[in-house]
Amino acid sequence: MTRADGFIGERLQVVPRPQVAQALSRPATSQLVVTDCGYFPRARDHGRARGGGASQSIVILVTDGLGWCIVDGERHVVHSGQVLVIPAGISHEYGSDPGHPWTIWWMHVTGPAVPDLLASAGLTTGRPVLTLREPHKAQALVELTLQRLERDHSVPSMVGASGAAWHLLSMLTADQTQGRATADPVEQVREYLQSGAGARVGVPDLAAMVGLSRSRFAELFRRATGTSVLAYQTGLRMARARQLLDTSDMSIAAIARAIGYDDAYYFSRHFRRVHGLSPSAYRAHAKG
């Protein structure tokens, strides 16, 4: 059974529709208005189905876990570090993966500029999922949008939310333009993995992302990096763990979760195997 909201730690803002209409009549927000915005962490059982589509275009940024969508009858998987965009009026379903529930930052947008912004990013009903070059920047823009609306729905806040959303959609266009200029499939995958070091992605999914067979992709990756895809991902996760141990006061369990380990004990054993000492010993060890 799916649910639309009600997740522990969620944040949610819905602008009253009369205020949306007023915003569309003002010069500063006449081209794009954010109507809804939210954050759903580890949203198990999250899902929506709209046979007639939504009145607004939907933007869903996945920052952890996995999800899926069916847009205009075609099914797609959505990974961490990717964004799902569904234009207004398009039949769709989407939901969180049962085994790896997604964490999402999302917004609904409307206005005359939205279709052109989506089209310039290469988004179509057949290609509703894009891989982001810098997911953390996209997340910051959605969070800024949400913060504006959490403050209030005054004219300045609505203008600020509109500006952040416009920036996000423009960034999608820039990402895809730069992505098309990157011909090396291994480099594309490395950039993708580096953007989300807490997410473990399988070789088949990575190979499909760059249009190669699993064996051919694995061969090219090892030739370019000198290691396997699994070992490379582990290295990224351990590097992120060291950074958090050095620069934060987060608990070992919190750091384990941040880099994709549900079991802090398993993370500590893995860390010791790689570094020769426990996370606590590493943190206490003098550096520099």
Side-chain angles (χ1 to χ4, degrees), residues 206-219:
L206 294 172
M209 187 186 302
V210 291
L212 295 173
S213 70
R214 174 176 178 168
S215 59
R216 178 60 175 162
F217 168 70
E219 176 190 356

Side-chain angles (χ1 to χ4, degrees), residues 181-195:
T182 304
D184 183 351
V186 172
E187 189 57 32
Q188 290 180 55
V189 168
R190 289 175 68 180
E191 288 185 3
Y192 171 70
L193 293 175
Q194 288 164 8
S195 70

